Amino acid sequence: GFRDLGMIPATAAAMAIIMQIVKITVSAPIGHLTDKLSPKRMLPFWALIAALALVPVLVLHNPLGVYISVGLSGIYMVGQQTAFLALVYGLPKPENRSGHYTLQIMTSSLCYAVGPLLIGFMCDALSYRTTFAVVFVLALALVPVTKWLLAPLSADARDYA
């Protein structure tokens, strides 16, 4: 994507700075929103935000689209992690916690390692715009899947405290 948009490799540093500024800025408000509305209600919403974060890159074919997408992705990352962790730590019964947390940590680590590699391979095989379009569709598909997976859980935020 950098090459196609004429962006220098040092752009990655600017993107990391934007991401950190956004994360620091939105963390407290998103935490309060998640506490108020419940993590069960918020998690599918964050999947939708993940899809919307890709739109600027798909619509604007310039560095500004990349920077906007990075900022929106930072919002998604904070929101998704906030809701997900509230569910992870609020769900298991005391007798299941050690195995539950171990499985969650291993699964998350695997996804954080393999996910970027798969996206990198897709970007190498396809254009960045095609890759982002595919990921956009996958993120949209994640909204109903997330709702379905969370259906049996309580919508009351106090149940995860």
Side-chain angles (χ1 to χ4, degrees), residues 84-85 88 102-114:
F84 179 75
L85 288 177
V88 165
T102 301
L103 183 61
Q104 182 268 328
I105 290 167
M106 289 172 27
T107 305
S108 293
S109 296
L110 180 65
C111 290
Y112 286 133
V114 173

Side-chain angles (χ1 to χ4, degrees), residues 28-117:
I30 286 176
H32 290 296
L33 185 64
T34 302
D35 286 345
K36 184 177 182 178
L37 298 178
S38 94
K40 177 186 175 179
R41 288 189 185 114
M42 293 304 295
L43 202 54
F45 171 76
W46 295 119
L48 179 62
I49 297 300
L52 294 177
L54 298 169
V55 171
V57 172
L58 295 170
V59 174
L60 304 172
H61 308 292
N62 58 35
L64 180 61
V66 172
Y67 294 130
I68 293 170
S69 286
V70 166
L72 292 173
S73 294
I75 294 170
Y76 153 74
M77 290 172 75
V78 169
Q80 182 274 338
Q81 193 166 27
T82 300
F84 179 75
L85 288 177
L87 289 170
V88 165
Y89 294 125
L91 285 178
K93 295 178 181 174
E95 62 272 15
N96 299 330
R97 285 191 177 141
S98 64
H100 173 83
Y101 294 148
T102 301
L103 183 61
Q104 182 268 328
I105 290 167
M106 289 172 27
T107 305
S108 293
S109 296
L110 180 65
C111 290
Y112 286 133
V114 173
L117 287 173

Side-chain angles (χ1 to χ4, degrees), residues 119-144:
I119 296 296
F121 289 137
M122 282 180 65
C123 285
D124 288 342
L126 309 169
S127 71
Y128 84 93
R129 290 175 66 195
T130 303
T131 299
F132 278 58
V134 168
V135 175
F136 172 80
V137 170
L138 291 173
L140 282 179
L142 194 58
V143 175

